[in-house]
Amino acid sequence: MGILTDQPDDDVADLFTDTPVQKWPQKIWLVRHGQSAGNVARDAAEAAQLHLIDIADRDMDVPLSELGKRQAEAMSHWFRALGPDGQPTVVLYSPYVRARATAAAVIDKVGRDNLVASVVDERLREKEFGILDRLTPLGIHDKYPELAEQRQHVGKFYFRPPGGESWCDVILRLRSALDTIIREYRGERVLIVGHQVIVNCFRYLLERMDEETILAIDREADVPNCGITEYRYDPSLGRHGKLVLVQANFVAPLEDTGTPVTDQPDMPAAPKS
């Protein structure tokens, strides 16, 4: 039998009051992991016009490069400098090694005891590439010309390689993740550490974009490694307030420490469309 109290929960209370109840976190930061060994291997393979990216690890096991570790360290100092009233209170991160290591750098600086939660969430994983995994664009066109043609026709937003995901598939799982964030972390300051597609697909959801808008942003530039995209809750917008974009792909924490900024696409990738 449940315990009855005199205090209704937030959702029930909202039915009996005109005072809006905040449903969003106070802040959300979206961060792409630091440069990975996969990013480096992909660049080398494309420069040599190879068909296959020379890396033995599963995509989920690819670690940060040495530069990626420096990038994560520089970014984590920026979060620590925000102080107790500005630092993340929740850290959510992809289970992939490169994202876990990037999140760990921030958790170490902020202090795990100062967090409400630090959670690995498989819904924040990299987009799955299926049979195209580890192939360069040249390799895709050579081995699967019909898929390259289909992707060109359909566009990356809807194209799903066999065994892999489209952007729409990623967005579907992120809708679920966002529901969890709204339910469990309202009023908190939430840091999400993931991958390039994860950052862009969250932007699509939080800024209520359409396909054309988010793909235009994607064509303009890749998401920098350890770049910070920040949203802040504005209670004056809508019935429950909304999250408003403060800055996108902020890399000053790296630049201020002399840490090189990188923005290689994740592997594999076909030409921008």
Side-chain angles (χ1 to χ4, degrees):
M1 179 180 295
I3 299 175
L4 299 180
T5 69
D6 293 331
Q7 300 297 325
D9 63 32
D10 289 341
D11 293 330
V12 175
D14 196 29
L15 299 175
F16 298 97
T17 178
D18 292 330
T19 303
V21 174
Q22 178 174 339
K23 75 172 187 175
W24 293 103
Q26 194 65 30
K27 282 189 178 181
I28 288 181
W29 295 278
L30 305 173
V31 168
R32 182 187 178 194
H33 59 78
Q35 184 196 58
S36 73
N39 297 144
V40 176
R42 182 184 187 276
D43 275 0
E46 290 191 5
Q49 296 188 314
L50 301 178
H51 289 194
L52 189 67
I53 298 167
D54 183 17
I55 191 161
D57 295 312
R58 299 184 306 165
D59 191 24
M60 53 284 297
D61 296 328
V62 172
L64 293 176
S65 67
E66 288 304 313
L67 175 56
K69 294 175 185 178
R70 290 170 54 198
Q71 291 169 335
E73 187 73 7
M75 179 196 63
S76 67
H77 280 288
W78 183 83
F79 277 109
R80 181 172 66 178
L82 296 177
D85 296 329
Q87 295 169 346
T89 56
V90 174
V91 180
L92 309 176
Y93 50 97
S94 160
Y96 283 36
V97 168
R98 54 193 182 272
R100 295 176 74 113
T102 304
V106 179
I107 292 170
D108 180 63
K109 292 295 185 297
V110 171
R112 192 175 295 273
D113 292 343
N114 296 321
L115 295 174
V116 171
S118 59
V119 180
V120 60
D121 191 326
E122 76 285 345
R123 293 170 297 184
L124 304 178
R125 70 187 183 276
E126 172 66 285
K127 182 173 80 73
E128 295 178 359
F129 301 113
I131 64 172
L132 304 184
D133 187 37
R134 296 198 302 154
L135 290 176
T136 64
L138 188 62
I140 294 170
H141 281 83
D142 180 72
K143 190 171 184 179
Y144 301 111
E146 71 285 355
L147 289 180
E149 182 180 351
Q150 182 187 18
R151 183 192 180 283
Q152 186 66 31
H153 174 68
V154 174
K156 67 161 51 175
F157 194 77
Y158 290 104
F159 174 69
R160 178 191 295 131
E165 295 180 296
S166 68
W167 277 39
C168 287
D169 295 323
V170 175
I171 288 167
L172 182 61
R173 54 177 158 95
L174 292 187
R175 288 189 188 278
S176 169
L178 195 55
D179 285 344
T180 300
I181 291 168
I182 291 170
R183 183 179 68 249
E184 297 187 8
Y185 305 123
R186 63 175 67 182
E188 300 294 343
R189 298 185 296 274
V190 179
L191 168 62
I192 298 170
V193 181
H195 308 266
Q196 173 160 256
V197 172
I198 295 300
V199 172
N200 279 334
C201 288
F202 260 124
R203 290 196 63 182
Y204 171 88
L205 291 171
L206 294 174
E207 297 176 50
R208 298 165 177 80
M209 296 181 186
D210 57 18
E211 175 192 3
E212 181 180 358
T213 303
I214 190 56
L215 290 186
I217 289 174
D218 179 65
R219 282 192 299 270
E220 183 178 340
D222 288 306
V223 176
N225 295 109
C226 286
I228 300 167
T229 295
E230 178 181 354
Y231 295 87
R232 183 178 301 144
Y233 174 70
D234 186 337
S236 68
L237 300 177
R239 181 182 176 193
H240 295 287
K242 292 181 180 180
L243 291 172
V244 177
L245 179 67
V246 176
Q247 56 191 351
N249 298 331
F250 176 66
V251 291
L254 277 62
E255 294 172 336
D256 290 347
T257 58
T259 306
V261 175
T262 56
D263 61 357
Q264 301 102 322
D266 291 313
M267 58 174 192
K272 296 279 188 177
S273 64

